[in-house]
Amino acid sequence: MEKTRLDKLVSSGKITADQETAIINELAALNTKYNLSSLTGAQRKTQMQAMQAELKTWAASQSPSINLAYLMPFGGGFGGPRGGMGGRGFHGQWTKPTVTPTPTP
């Protein structure tokens, strides 16, 4: 499911094939690191916030940086009817980044 979504971003020129591979690898690593299935709601929320911060830092460190919107399955949330990430983990809500327009001179 993620691969199909990312393939569309590659086809439309929003990300490169190398960026797609990097995104898939990073999401898989985070899925392994943050096992949310046996946590309470409060623990899950804390872990999701940590994961989001880590993913944001990772995206900014890429050259060129990867837009966070392209990392969010289901249009903005790690969740959805199949639990995001193909039903393998990530439950909860993604905090959408705030975009501040750059003033034109």
Side-chain angles (χ1 to χ4, degrees):
M1 185 183 297
E2 267 314 284
K3 176 87 167 107
T4 301
R5 183 183 70 82
L6 293 169
D7 284 343
K8 290 177 185 177
L9 293 172
V10 171
S11 295
S12 66
K14 294 183 179 186
I15 62 172
T16 67
D18 288 342
Q19 287 175 317
E20 175 185 31
T21 300
I23 290 169
I24 290 169
N25 291 338
E26 183 64 15
L27 291 176
L30 290 174
N31 190 36
T32 299
K33 181 177 180 179
Y34 294 97
N35 182 353
L36 307 175
S37 62
S38 63
L39 303 178
T40 67
Q43 290 170 325
R44 189 175 302 123
K45 181 178 179 179
T46 300
Q47 288 295 303
M48 284 297 298
Q49 289 170 340
M51 185 194 70
Q52 291 169 14
E54 189 172 332
L55 193 55
K56 183 177 181 179
T57 300
W58 175 83
S61 75
Q62 299 303 295
S63 182
S65 66
I66 297 174
N67 186 328
L68 285 176
Y70 303 149
L71 299 172
M72 297 184 285
F74 304 108
F78 285 111
R82 293 179 32 121
M85 298 305 297
R88 294 187 306 266
F90 297 129
H91 298 277
Q93 288 297 312
W94 176 272
T95 304
K96 289 188 179 183
T98 303
V99 178
T100 305
T102 305
T104 53

